[in-house]
């Protein structure tokens, strides 16, 4: 005699994988303090102990920024804190590797591979005139209506006195290199 739909669905929940998952949930293995991003099993190189507390603190700030309420904000405004924190993490790794030379190339590449830093802004920051670039969205011309850069890339002397302008992508108030 064929199984009824009730018996069939009950037999699906009694497989070995389901029992393990139910036990894991019952023990609390799926708590909220687990990292969101799955990291590789490759061990970081020397110097990781020095930068790990700062990266963990920035990860906590990132989670707070992701969970903060954004009902009163525009859609793009709710993403600005996330852009800023990601930019800070990338700048931190860039500063330690290229400016202070405090970490090794292997550790920098590990941070890029694991998602702690972004290699594209780092490549731009190495070039003269791009040291203050806030994000890559601000220089992509396809993201604007008229095929130009973001307003934050325009020098403040060209914008006008007393005019406070924020970029639409990341909320930057001016990363063109000229600051009063």
């Amino acid at each position: 005699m064929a199984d009824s739909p009730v018996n069939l669905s009950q037999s699906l929940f009694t497989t070995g994988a389901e029992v393990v998952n139910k036990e894991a949930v019952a023990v609390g293995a799926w708590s909220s303090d687990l990292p969101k991003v799955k990291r590789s099993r490759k061990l970081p190189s020397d110097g990781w102990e020095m930068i790990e507390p700062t990266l963990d603190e920035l990860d906590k700030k990132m989670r707070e920024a992701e969970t903060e309420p954004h009902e009163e904000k525009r859609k793009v405004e709710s993403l600005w804190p996330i852009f800023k924190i990601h930019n800070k993490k990338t700048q931190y790794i860039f500063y330690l590797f290229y400016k202070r030379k405090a970490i090794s190339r292997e550790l920098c590449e590990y941070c890029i591979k694991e998602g702690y830093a972004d290699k594209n802004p780092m490549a731009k920051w190495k070039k003269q005139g791009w040291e203050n670039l806030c994000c890559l969205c601000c220089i992509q011309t396809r993201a604007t209506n008229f095929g130009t850069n973001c307003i934050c890339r325009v020098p403040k002397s060209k914008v006008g006195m007393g005019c406070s302008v924020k970029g639409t992508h990341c909320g930057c108030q001016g990363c063109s290199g000229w600051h009063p």
Side-chain angles (χ1 to χ4, degrees):
M1 180 175 201
D3 287 336
S4 68
V6 175
N7 292 339
L8 183 62
S9 66
Q10 288 174 348
S11 66
L12 289 176
F13 287 112
T14 58
T15 62
E18 290 294 324
V19 171
V20 171
N21 287 340
K22 286 180 183 178
E23 289 173 3
V25 171
V27 202
W30 305 106
S31 66
S32 62
D33 28 315
L34 291 176
K36 285 186 167 188
V37 179
K38 201 175 208 180
R39 305 291 181 202
S40 71
R41 296 186 185 265
K42 181 182 174 189
L43 295 175
S45 62
D46 295 334
W48 175 251
E49 301 82 23
M50 179 182 74
I51 65 172
E52 186 179 23
T54 305
L55 293 176
D56 287 342
E57 180 182 330
L58 289 171
D59 279 340
K60 286 180 186 176
K61 288 182 181 179
M62 179 72 82
R63 284 191 206 112
E64 290 173 5
E66 289 172 348
T67 59
E68 78 178 14
H70 55 274
E71 286 80 26
E72 297 89 26
K73 299 178 182 177
R74 296 182 302 171
K75 185 177 180 180
V76 293
E77 285 179 359
S78 63
L79 296 176
W80 290 351
I82 296 170
F83 275 122
K84 287 180 183 179
I85 294 168
H86 180 70
N87 192 19
K88 281 182 186 178
K89 288 194 320 189
T90 304
Q91 281 179 341
Y92 177 68
I93 300 297
F94 177 81
Y95 177 74
L96 288 177
F97 180 64
Y98 288 103
K99 301 295 182 186
R100 285 188 43 204
K101 302 192 185 328
I103 61 174
S104 65
R105 178 171 298 278
E106 292 82 23
L107 184 57
C108 182
E109 289 173 358
Y110 174 82
C111 290
I112 290 170
K113 182 179 170 248
E114 295 299 317
Y116 289 108
D118 192 1
K119 67 179 179 179
N120 295 327
M122 286 183 170
K124 284 290 186 187
W125 292 334
K126 288 191 283 185
K127 297 177 182 177
Q128 184 179 8
W130 295 95
E131 297 90 3
N132 297 324
L133 180 66
C134 58
C135 71
L136 293 179
C137 293
C138 292
I139 60 172
Q140 292 175 348
T141 57
R142 67 174 182 256
T144 61
N145 291 339
F146 300 107
T148 59
N149 289 339
C150 182
I151 190 69
C152 70
R153 294 299 300 162
V154 177
K156 290 187 180 186
S157 61
K158 303 285 184 191
V159 173
M161 299 302 288
C163 185
S164 176
V165 180
K166 288 188 176 184
T168 57
H169 299 97
C170 60
C172 175
Q173 294 181 352
C175 62
S176 63
W178 183 83
H179 298 284

